[in-house]
Amino acid sequence: MSREKLGILASGRGSNFEAILDHIELDVLQGVDASVLVSDNPDAKTLEVAENRNISNYVVEPKNKEDREVHEERIYEIFRDKDVSLVILAGYMRIVSPYLLGKYEENIMNIHPSLLPAFKGMEAQKDALEYGAKVSGCTVHYAWKEVDAGPIITQKAVPIQEEDTVKKLSNRILVQEHRTYSKAIQLHADDRLEVDGRKVHVDYSDNWKKEWRKRQEAYIDHQKKSWKESEIYEEVFKK
Ligand code: GRF
Protein backbone atom coordinates (compact mmCIF):
# COMPACT_ATOMS: atom_id res chain seq x y z
CA MET A 1 0.00 0.00 0.00
CA SER A 2 1.37 3.44 -0.86
CA ARG A 3 1.97 5.89 1.97
CA GLU A 4 -0.76 8.36 2.85
CA LYS A 5 0.46 11.91 2.41
CA LEU A 6 -1.33 14.42 4.58
CA GLY A 7 -1.97 18.02 3.63
CA ILE A 8 -3.10 19.84 6.74
CA LEU A 9 -5.23 22.98 6.65
CA ALA A 10 -5.32 24.93 9.90
CA SER A 11 -6.02 28.48 11.05
CA GLY A 12 -5.21 28.64 14.75
CA ARG A 13 -3.60 26.93 17.70
CA GLY A 14 -2.76 23.67 15.92
CA SER A 15 -3.05 21.22 18.80
CA ASN A 16 -4.76 18.58 16.65
CA PHE A 17 -2.03 18.96 14.04
CA GLU A 18 0.59 18.51 16.75
CA ALA A 19 -1.15 15.41 18.10
CA ILE A 20 -1.05 13.88 14.62
CA LEU A 21 2.68 14.65 14.39
CA ASP A 22 3.19 13.01 17.79
CA HIS A 23 1.35 9.90 16.65
CA ILE A 24 3.62 9.70 13.58
CA GLU A 25 6.78 10.33 15.56
CA LEU A 26 5.89 7.64 18.10
CA ASP A 27 5.19 5.21 15.25
CA VAL A 28 1.57 4.88 16.40
CA LEU A 29 0.27 6.28 13.13
CA GLN A 30 1.89 4.12 10.45
CA GLY A 31 2.22 4.46 6.69
CA VAL A 32 1.39 8.17 6.96
CA ASP A 33 3.52 11.27 6.25
CA ALA A 34 2.65 14.81 7.30
CA SER A 35 3.69 16.31 3.98
CA VAL A 36 2.66 19.94 4.28
CA LEU A 37 0.74 22.42 6.41
CA VAL A 38 -1.12 25.34 4.85
CA SER A 39 -2.64 28.11 6.92
CA ASP A 40 -4.86 30.96 5.77
CA ASN A 41 -3.74 32.97 8.81
CA PRO A 42 -0.17 34.33 8.95
CA ASP A 43 -0.39 34.64 12.77
CA ALA A 44 -1.53 31.09 13.40
CA LYS A 45 0.36 29.30 16.14
CA THR A 46 0.09 26.15 14.05
CA LEU A 47 2.79 27.58 11.72
CA GLU A 48 5.23 27.60 14.64
CA VAL A 49 4.33 23.99 15.38
CA ALA A 50 5.15 23.08 11.77
CA GLU A 51 8.37 25.10 11.81
CA ASN A 52 9.57 23.50 15.07
CA ARG A 53 8.89 20.03 13.73
CA ASN A 54 10.42 20.65 10.29
CA ILE A 55 7.20 20.25 8.37
CA SER A 56 7.02 22.37 5.24
CA ASN A 57 4.46 25.09 5.74
CA TYR A 58 2.87 27.85 3.73
CA VAL A 59 0.60 30.80 4.36
CA VAL A 60 -2.05 31.17 1.69
CA GLU A 61 -4.07 34.19 2.67
CA PRO A 62 -7.27 34.92 0.82
CA LYS A 63 -6.79 38.13 -1.14
CA ASN A 64 -9.26 40.95 -1.05
CA LYS A 65 -12.55 39.88 -2.67
CA GLU A 66 -10.90 36.72 -4.02
CA ASP A 67 -13.49 34.02 -4.26
CA ARG A 68 -13.08 30.76 -2.39
CA GLU A 69 -12.29 28.73 -5.48
CA VAL A 70 -9.39 30.94 -6.55
CA HIS A 71 -8.00 30.85 -3.01
CA GLU A 72 -8.26 27.06 -2.99
CA GLU A 73 -6.64 26.78 -6.42
CA ARG A 74 -3.54 28.26 -4.84
CA ILE A 75 -3.75 25.77 -1.97
CA TYR A 76 -4.30 22.90 -4.38
CA GLU A 77 -1.15 23.78 -6.33
CA ILE A 78 0.86 23.25 -3.15
CA PHE A 79 -0.95 20.02 -2.28
CA ARG A 80 -0.45 18.70 -5.81
CA ASP A 81 3.27 19.50 -5.70
CA LYS A 82 3.56 17.59 -2.44
CA ASP A 83 1.51 14.65 -3.71
CA VAL A 84 -1.06 15.10 -0.95
CA SER A 85 -3.53 12.21 -0.88
CA LEU A 86 -5.58 13.08 2.23
CA VAL A 87 -6.53 16.58 3.39
CA ILE A 88 -6.88 17.11 7.14
CA LEU A 89 -8.91 20.06 8.38
CA ALA A 90 -7.53 20.84 11.82
CA GLY A 91 -9.18 23.96 13.13
CA TYR A 92 -9.52 25.44 9.63
CA MET A 93 -11.82 28.43 9.91
CA ARG A 94 -12.94 28.61 6.29
CA ILE A 95 -15.67 26.69 4.53
CA VAL A 96 -14.19 24.37 1.94
CA SER A 97 -15.70 25.00 -1.49
CA PRO A 98 -16.83 22.43 -4.06
CA TYR A 99 -13.53 23.07 -5.87
CA LEU A 100 -11.29 21.43 -3.26
CA LEU A 101 -14.00 18.94 -2.29
CA GLY A 102 -14.04 17.85 -5.94
CA LYS A 103 -10.26 17.47 -6.09
CA TYR A 104 -10.25 15.30 -2.96
CA GLU A 105 -13.57 13.50 -3.02
CA GLU A 106 -13.92 11.44 0.18
CA ASN A 107 -10.36 12.37 0.96
CA ILE A 108 -10.93 15.41 3.18
CA MET A 109 -11.46 14.88 6.89
CA ASN A 110 -12.64 17.23 9.59
CA ILE A 111 -12.90 17.04 13.36
CA HIS A 112 -15.69 18.69 15.30
CA PRO A 113 -15.99 19.06 19.08
CA SER A 114 -19.47 17.57 19.54
CA LEU A 115 -21.33 14.38 18.78
CA LEU A 116 -22.71 15.32 15.37
CA PRO A 117 -25.34 15.98 14.20
CA ALA A 118 -25.85 17.76 17.53
CA PHE A 119 -24.24 21.17 18.05
CA LYS A 120 -22.80 22.04 14.66
CA GLY A 121 -21.04 25.38 14.32
CA MET A 122 -18.39 27.41 16.05
CA GLU A 123 -19.46 27.14 19.69
CA ALA A 124 -20.23 23.48 19.97
CA GLN A 125 -19.04 23.02 23.55
CA LYS A 126 -20.87 26.11 24.86
CA ASP A 127 -24.01 25.11 22.98
CA ALA A 128 -23.94 21.60 24.45
CA LEU A 129 -23.60 23.00 27.98
CA GLU A 130 -26.33 25.57 27.54
CA TYR A 131 -28.66 23.02 26.03
CA GLY A 132 -28.26 20.88 29.11
CA ALA A 133 -26.89 17.86 27.24
CA LYS A 134 -25.52 15.15 29.51
CA VAL A 135 -23.05 13.81 26.96
CA SER A 136 -21.01 15.50 24.26
CA GLY A 137 -17.74 14.49 22.59
CA CYS A 138 -16.01 14.69 19.26
CA THR A 139 -16.65 13.49 15.72
CA VAL A 140 -14.32 12.83 12.81
CA HIS A 141 -16.11 12.90 9.47
CA TYR A 142 -15.43 13.29 5.78
CA ALA A 143 -16.10 16.83 4.64
CA TRP A 144 -19.13 17.56 2.54
CA LYS A 145 -20.51 20.75 1.03
CA GLU A 146 -22.71 21.31 4.08
CA VAL A 147 -20.61 22.25 7.08
CA ASP A 148 -20.22 19.64 9.86
CA ALA A 149 -22.49 17.28 7.97
CA GLY A 150 -20.40 14.71 6.10
CA PRO A 151 -20.35 10.93 6.67
CA ILE A 152 -19.17 10.07 10.18
CA ILE A 153 -16.04 7.95 10.57
CA THR A 154 -15.69 7.79 14.33
CA GLN A 155 -16.99 9.49 17.48
CA LYS A 156 -15.96 9.58 21.09
CA ALA A 157 -18.39 10.45 23.87
CA VAL A 158 -17.42 12.73 26.77
CA PRO A 159 -19.85 12.99 29.71
CA ILE A 160 -20.88 16.49 30.80
CA GLN A 161 -20.65 17.17 34.52
CA GLU A 162 -22.86 19.22 36.80
CA GLU A 163 -20.15 21.78 37.57
CA ASP A 164 -18.73 21.99 34.03
CA THR A 165 -17.44 25.17 32.44
CA VAL A 166 -16.91 25.69 28.71
CA LYS A 167 -13.15 25.56 29.27
CA LYS A 168 -13.19 22.34 31.27
CA LEU A 169 -15.52 20.59 28.85
CA SER A 170 -13.56 21.86 25.83
CA ASN A 171 -10.33 20.53 27.32
CA ARG A 172 -11.80 17.13 28.15
CA ILE A 173 -13.12 16.90 24.59
CA LEU A 174 -9.76 18.10 23.19
CA VAL A 175 -7.91 15.25 24.92
CA GLN A 176 -10.21 12.87 23.05
CA GLU A 177 -9.92 14.80 19.77
CA HIS A 178 -6.17 14.33 19.88
CA ARG A 179 -6.63 10.56 20.12
CA THR A 180 -9.58 10.19 17.80
CA TYR A 181 -8.28 12.09 14.78
CA SER A 182 -5.27 9.82 14.37
CA LYS A 183 -7.44 6.74 14.74
CA ALA A 184 -9.61 7.92 11.83
CA ILE A 185 -6.54 8.73 9.74
CA GLN A 186 -5.08 5.28 10.41
CA LEU A 187 -8.37 3.60 9.43
CA HIS A 188 -8.34 5.58 6.18
CA ALA A 189 -4.68 4.83 5.49
CA ASP A 190 -5.31 1.12 6.18
CA ASP A 191 -8.14 1.19 3.62
CA ARG A 192 -10.68 0.18 6.26
CA LEU A 193 -13.30 2.81 5.42
CA GLU A 194 -15.99 2.51 2.80
CA VAL A 195 -18.32 5.43 2.19
CA ASP A 196 -21.85 4.40 1.33
CA GLY A 197 -24.05 7.49 1.04
CA ARG A 198 -24.29 8.97 4.53
CA LYS A 199 -22.71 5.91 6.11
CA VAL A 200 -19.10 4.95 6.52
CA HIS A 201 -18.64 1.20 6.90
CA VAL A 202 -15.62 0.50 9.08
CA ASP A 203 -13.77 -2.77 8.82
CA TYR A 204 -12.49 -3.57 12.29
CA SER A 205 -11.74 -7.22 11.46
CA ASP A 206 -8.50 -8.99 12.46
CA ASN A 207 -8.31 -7.26 15.82
CA TRP A 208 -7.78 -3.81 14.32
CA LYS A 209 -9.23 -2.05 17.38
CA LYS A 210 -7.23 -4.09 19.85
CA GLU A 211 -3.99 -3.50 18.00
CA TRP A 212 -4.68 0.21 17.63
CA ARG A 213 -5.43 0.57 21.35
CA LYS A 214 -2.22 -1.22 22.19
CA ARG A 215 -0.16 0.93 19.86
CA GLN A 216 -1.81 4.15 21.01
CA GLU A 217 -0.77 3.58 24.63
CA ALA A 218 2.58 5.16 23.73
CA TYR A 219 0.78 8.34 22.66
CA ILE A 220 -1.46 8.37 25.72
CA ASP A 221 1.61 8.18 27.99
CA HIS A 222 3.08 11.12 26.13
CA GLN A 223 -0.23 13.00 26.27
CA LYS A 224 -0.47 12.44 30.01
CA LYS A 225 2.78 14.34 30.50
CA SER A 226 1.71 17.30 28.41
CA TRP A 227 -1.60 17.73 30.33
CA LYS A 228 0.03 17.40 33.74
CA GLU A 229 -0.68 21.01 34.82
CA SER A 230 -4.25 21.10 33.58
CA GLU A 231 -7.31 21.23 35.85
CA ILE A 232 -8.79 18.28 33.98
CA TYR A 233 -5.76 16.05 34.51
CA GLU A 234 -7.16 14.06 37.43
CA GLU A 235 -10.47 13.41 35.72
CA VAL A 236 -9.06 12.32 32.40
CA PHE A 237 -5.95 10.44 33.36
CA LYS A 238 -6.86 8.85 36.68
CA LYS A 239 -6.81 5.12 36.32
C1 GRF B 1 -10.79 21.85 17.72
O1 GRF B 1 -11.63 21.88 18.84
C2 GRF B 1 -11.49 21.24 16.54
O2 GRF B 1 -12.43 20.27 16.91
C3 GRF B 1 -12.21 22.41 15.94
O3 GRF B 1 -11.33 23.49 16.09
C4 GRF B 1 -10.47 23.26 17.20
C5 GRF B 1 -9.07 23.38 16.69
O4 GRF B 1 -8.12 23.30 17.71
N1 GRF B 1 -12.56 22.13 14.56
P1 GRF B 1 -6.59 23.14 17.36
O5 GRF B 1 -6.21 24.32 16.43
O6 GRF B 1 -6.38 21.83 16.69
O7 GRF B 1 -5.86 23.25 18.67
Side-chain angles (χ1 to χ4, degrees):
M1 226 183 285
S2 60
R3 294 181 72 80
E4 204 69 64
K5 291 184 183 297
L6 308 184
I8 297 99
L9 281 172
S11 308
R13 173 177 63 179
S15 72
N16 275 288
F17 168 52
E18 192 159 23
I20 292 166
L21 297 180
D22 289 338
H23 277 86
I24 293 174
E25 226 168 84
L26 292 164
D27 202 30
V28 177
L29 198 42
Q30 297 177 350
V32 173
D33 300 319
S35 297
V36 61
L37 171 105
V38 175
S39 181
D40 57 327
N41 170 15
D43 302 320
K45 199 167 163 275
T46 194
L47 290 161
E48 286 168 38
V49 175
E51 207 53 42
N52 293 338
R53 311 280 282 250
N54 285 324
I55 306 291
S56 53
N57 58 89
Y58 298 81
V59 177
V60 181
E61 260 185 293
K63 293 178 188 151
N64 215 4
K65 294 208 177 116
E66 179 181 62
D67 64 34
R68 279 193 293 164
E69 299 225 339
V70 180
H71 177 233
E72 287 177 3
E73 274 171 24
R74 293 191 287 134
I75 296 173
Y76 179 63
E77 265 176 46
I78 298 172
F79 283 176
R80 201 190 43 209
D81 280 357
K82 301 279 180 189
D83 274 337
V84 165
S85 55
L86 178 64
V87 176
I88 298 297
L89 306 178
Y92 186 56
M93 304 308 269
R94 309 181 67 77
I95 296 171
V96 178
S97 86
Y99 174 79
L100 202 60
L101 290 170
K103 294 286 181 197
Y104 285 101
E105 216 172 321
E106 285 159 17
N107 284 293
I108 304 186
M109 276 186 196
N110 183 40
I111 189 156
H112 184 75
S114 77
L115 294 179
L116 291 171
F119 311 118
K120 296 175 178 172
M122 302 295 291
E123 296 194 291
Q125 302 93 329
K126 180 166 174 272
D127 292 345
L129 268 184
E130 284 177 358
Y131 196 84
K134 301 297 185 209
V135 182
S136 192
C138 61
T139 302
V140 182
H141 63 92
Y142 285 115
W144 262 4
K145 204 161 120 247
E146 302 82 34
V147 177
D148 301 332
I152 292 171
I153 299 165
T154 184
Q155 297 185 295
K156 178 74 186 174
V158 173
I160 293 178
Q161 294 161 2
E162 197 62 39
E163 304 300 321
D164 249 338
T165 60
V166 175
K167 183 171 171 240
K168 279 180 79 178
L169 176 62
S170 301
N171 279 337
R172 287 206 313 286
I173 293 175
L174 196 62
V175 167
Q176 300 305 333
E177 287 184 48
H178 292 168
R179 297 176 190 176
T180 308
Y181 218 165
S182 287
K183 177 184 174 188
I185 294 167
Q186 188 69 72
L187 282 167
H188 181 101
D190 289 352
D191 213 10
R192 296 267 175 160
L193 303 176
E194 190 202 328
V195 183
D196 174 11
R198 266 228 58 83
K199 288 189 188 158
V200 179
H201 299 293
V202 186
D203 176 3
Y204 283 123
S205 61
D206 301 324
N207 278 327
W208 192 96
K209 265 190 192 172
K210 200 171 155 207
E211 277 172 32
W212 172 254
R213 260 192 237 120
K214 205 165 131 223
R215 250 187 14 241
Q216 203 182 31
E217 276 171 18
Y219 172 74
I220 294 173
D221 279 349
H222 164 85
Q223 191 185 38
K224 208 169 168 176
K225 289 179 197 129
S226 51
W227 283 86
K228 195 95 203 170
E229 304 304 322
S230 160
E231 60 178 347
I232 57 135
Y233 179 81
E234 284 296 317
E235 285 168 42
V236 178
F237 295 100
K238 70 182 173 216
K239 283 278 169 202

